[in-house]
Amino acid sequence: MANHQSAKKRVRQIEKRKLHNKYYAKTARNAIKKLRTTTEKSEAESMYPQVTSMIDKLAKKNIIHKNNASNLKSSLANHISKLA
C-alpha cells in the first residue's frame, strides 16, 4: 500500500478515473451492440453518427486505441451497407 501522501492521492485519482472511463466505455459498447442488432437500414444510418462520435471521444481520451476506433467505425459502416 502507498505510504506517501501523493501516492495515496494518485490511488484515489486512478480509482475515480477508472470508474469514469468504465462508464463511458460501457455506454459506447451498448450503443455499438444496439446498432449491430438493428435490422432496419434507415434506423441504423440515423444511429451511426452518434455511435461514431462516442467512439471518437473514447479514442481521443485514450480509453480505446485510435486504430481500434477506426476498425470499429469501419466495421459498423460495412454492417450498415449490407443491410437491406
Side-chain angles (χ1 to χ4, degrees):
M1 188 62 200
N3 290 324
H4 296 286
Q5 184 180 1
S6 61
K8 289 179 182 177
K9 182 178 179 180
R10 291 299 292 173
V11 169
R12 290 194 308 269
Q13 288 174 331
I14 289 167
E15 284 296 319
K16 189 175 179 183
R17 194 175 306 120
K18 185 171 77 172
L19 189 65
H20 181 265
N21 289 345
K22 192 190 295 186
Y23 169 77
Y24 284 104
K26 184 66 176 176
T27 305
R29 271 201 309 273
N30 287 340
I32 291 167
K33 285 178 191 172
K34 189 174 179 184
L35 195 147
R36 282 195 175 133
T37 56
T38 303
T39 55
E40 291 185 34
K41 188 168 186 165
S42 60
E43 187 180 339
E45 285 175 340
S46 66
M47 290 170 61
Y48 183 70
Q50 296 168 336
V51 175
T52 55
S53 175
M54 287 177 151
I55 293 170
D56 286 335
K57 286 176 187 174
L58 292 176
K60 183 180 179 184
K61 295 179 181 177
N62 291 322
I63 298 172
I64 61 172
H65 195 272
K66 64 178 183 174
N67 292 351
N68 185 7
S70 181
N71 288 339
L72 278 171
K73 291 190 294 184
S74 174
S75 68
L76 290 174
N78 194 17
H79 172 73
I80 291 171
S81 68
K82 287 181 181 177
L83 290 174

